[in-house]
């Protein structure tokens, strides 16, 4: 007898969509980084593409109910948020608002994964 699978909660689906959006953004930035490889002093395109792949894979696995994907997306969001907050202080003044926005989105993603009761119950039974 097979156990019944709980339906995917909206907050988990939304967190996965955030992850896919981040993957698309990082993939686009990675392509720009590769195209402009010779014109920049610090090549970062490959790193952005690797992060895009991690976000995409984890977001897809999150839709399948993977607890590991939840932890990976949470860890990537924490790392991205911390890096964004550091960049607020060490980056140029023009990067303050985008960095704060990036950190806020990372906090929203973490909350979507771990805050709502629906997400907690879904991953408790997954």
């Amino acid at each position: 007898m097979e156990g019944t699978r709980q339906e995917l909660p909206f907050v988990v689906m939304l967190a996965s969509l955030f992850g896919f959006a981040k993957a698309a953004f990082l993939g686009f930035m990675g392509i720009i980084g590769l195209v402009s490889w010779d014109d920049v002093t610090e090549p970062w395109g490959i790193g952005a593409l690797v992060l895009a792949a991690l976000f995409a894979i984890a977001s897809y696995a999150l839709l399948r109910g993977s607890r590991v994907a939840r932890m990976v997306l949470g860890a990537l969001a924490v790392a991205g948020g911390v890096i964004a907050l550091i960049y607020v202080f060490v980056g140029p003044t023009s990067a303050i608002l985008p960095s704060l926005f990036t950190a806020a989105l990372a906090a929203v993603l973490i909350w979507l994964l771990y805050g709502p009761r629906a997400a907690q119950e879904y991953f408790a039974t997954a």
Side-chain angles (χ1 to χ4, degrees):
M1 189 167 166
E2 192 175 316
T4 58
R5 180 88 173 126
Q6 188 177 5
E7 187 176 324
L8 184 69
F10 175 74
V11 292
V12 175
M13 182 182 65
L14 188 60
S16 181
L17 291 176
F18 267 65
F20 282 125
K22 184 78 169 187
F25 174 75
L26 286 171
F28 180 67
M29 295 306 291
I31 291 170
I32 290 173
L34 289 179
V35 168
S36 63
W37 187 281
D38 294 331
D39 299 331
V40 294
T41 56
E42 296 178 18
W44 45 266
I46 293 175
L49 287 174
V50 168
L51 283 175
L54 285 173
F55 266 102
I57 292 168
S59 296
Y60 178 75
L62 188 70
L63 289 175
R64 303 289 171 241
S66 171
R67 290 182 190 149
V68 173
R70 180 185 187 206
M71 288 186 292
V72 168
L73 272 178
L76 288 171
V78 167
V82 168
I83 290 170
L85 286 176
I86 290 171
Y87 201 66
V88 166
F89 299 104
V90 300
T93 55
S94 62
I96 292 175
L97 286 178
S99 296
L100 288 173
F101 185 71
T102 300
L105 287 179
V108 168
L109 179 58
I110 293 166
W111 179 80
L112 286 172
L113 290 171
Y114 292 97
R117 180 176 298 204
Q120 293 172 7
E121 290 172 356
Y122 179 72
F123 287 107
T125 61

